Amino acid sequence: SNDPVNNGGGEALYIRDEESGTFWSPSPQPARGAMTYVVRHGFGYSIFEYQQDGIATELTVYVATDTPVKFTRFRIMNRSGRPRHLSVTAYSELVLGESRDKTLMHIITEVDPITGAIFARNAYDPEFGGRIVFADTSETNRTITTDRGEFLGRNGIPASPAALKRIHLSGRVGAGLDPCAAIQTPVDLDVGQEREIVFTLGAATSEDQARDLVQQNRGVQNAQRALEAVWQYWGRTLGTLYVET
């Protein structure tokens, strides 16, 4: 957010039990769960492991080496001994400039009719007015909102957003909003079943390039290829020199 006083996180992921309404984050922030988190950092990626109420999760975050796309890979495993009805929500605040206070009234959001991804732009930016920011998920069953006020609620905070007290997101897009990109998708798991969901966040110089990037990077297989490229890049970079003492 570039806030010089309190630079809080502008991204969050939530998992919600659709039967009880209980929700938590698979990472320690913002909606910290009651159990212990395990966080591992590698070269070019970070992994967050957590288990609560019989639901085990593994969150892997990394950026592609050849395109401006950030991947959030989310594995969910049902170890509770009973079928579970869940939802996963990814939330990103949009700045598209040097500070939210200056840009929030100029950002326009829409759902791209071809890819279904969220597109956002700040046409008033003198340098990057033609660029597109996009948010997408591997899941076709989704609801979205780009209204941060709706998502957090009046005087709301990321630790307890109002949107997670409702069944689904409203689909609101357009101009004049306090902008964000939020995507929610349902996840039903039988006993012992495992699912993997991928969220992407990226930038492009035009709508056509944004659509290409969305389609090229959508899905679990494309996310895996991007992660393998990260491993290979750091392997080459750090494998050039070997020191033994």
Side-chain angles (χ1 to χ4, degrees), residues 84-148:
R84 303 297 293 271
H85 303 286
L86 311 167
S87 66
V88 178
T89 305
Y91 165 78
S92 300
E93 295 180 351
L94 299 176
V95 180
L96 279 65
E98 66 272 21
S99 68
R100 282 183 51 80
D101 291 340
K102 293 182 179 179
T103 62
L104 64 87
M105 293 303 295
H106 302 308
I107 295 176
I108 300 174
T109 57
E110 62 178 327
V111 174
D112 178 53
I114 297 176
T115 64
I118 296 174
F119 280 8
R121 75 190 78 205
N122 177 9
Y124 287 86
D125 190 289
E127 295 184 60
F128 307 111
R131 300 206 176 191
I132 303 290
V133 165
F134 61 86
D136 188 47
T137 181
S138 57
E139 305 301 298
T140 56
N141 187 4
R142 64 179 85 173
T143 59
I144 66 100
T145 185
T146 62
D147 186 349
R148 179 173 175 267

Side-chain angles (χ1 to χ4, degrees), residues 69 71 111-119 134-140 142 183 197-200 210-226:
V69 179
F71 290 86
V111 174
D112 178 53
I114 297 176
T115 64
I118 296 174
F119 280 8
F134 61 86
D136 188 47
T137 181
S138 57
E139 305 301 298
T140 56
R142 64 179 85 173
I183 304 175
I197 299 171
V198 179
F199 296 95
T200 52
R211 293 186 181 108
D212 289 341
L213 289 174
V214 167
Q215 293 167 342
Q216 291 169 10
N217 294 284
R218 177 179 282 171
V220 175
Q221 292 182 344
N222 289 324
Q224 178 63 28
R225 280 194 288 268

Side-chain angles (χ1 to χ4, degrees), residues 9-16 23-33 37 48 50 57-61 70-76 87-92 136-137 151 158-159 161 164 181-185 197-200:
E11 296 177 81
L13 197 66
Y14 306 91
I15 182 168
R16 180 176 66 183
F23 63 87
W24 63 89
S25 291
S27 58
Q29 296 294 335
R32 190 183 185 101
Y37 289 83
F48 303 82
Y50 185 64
T57 57
E58 181 183 272
L59 171 64
T60 307
V61 183
K70 176 181 179 178
F71 290 86
T72 302
R73 290 181 62 176
F74 192 45
R75 290 178 59 218
I76 314 171
S87 66
V88 178
T89 305
Y91 165 78
S92 300
D136 188 47
T137 181
F151 188 87
L164 294 188
I183 304 175
Q184 185 177 92
T185 183
I197 299 171
V198 179
F199 296 95
T200 52

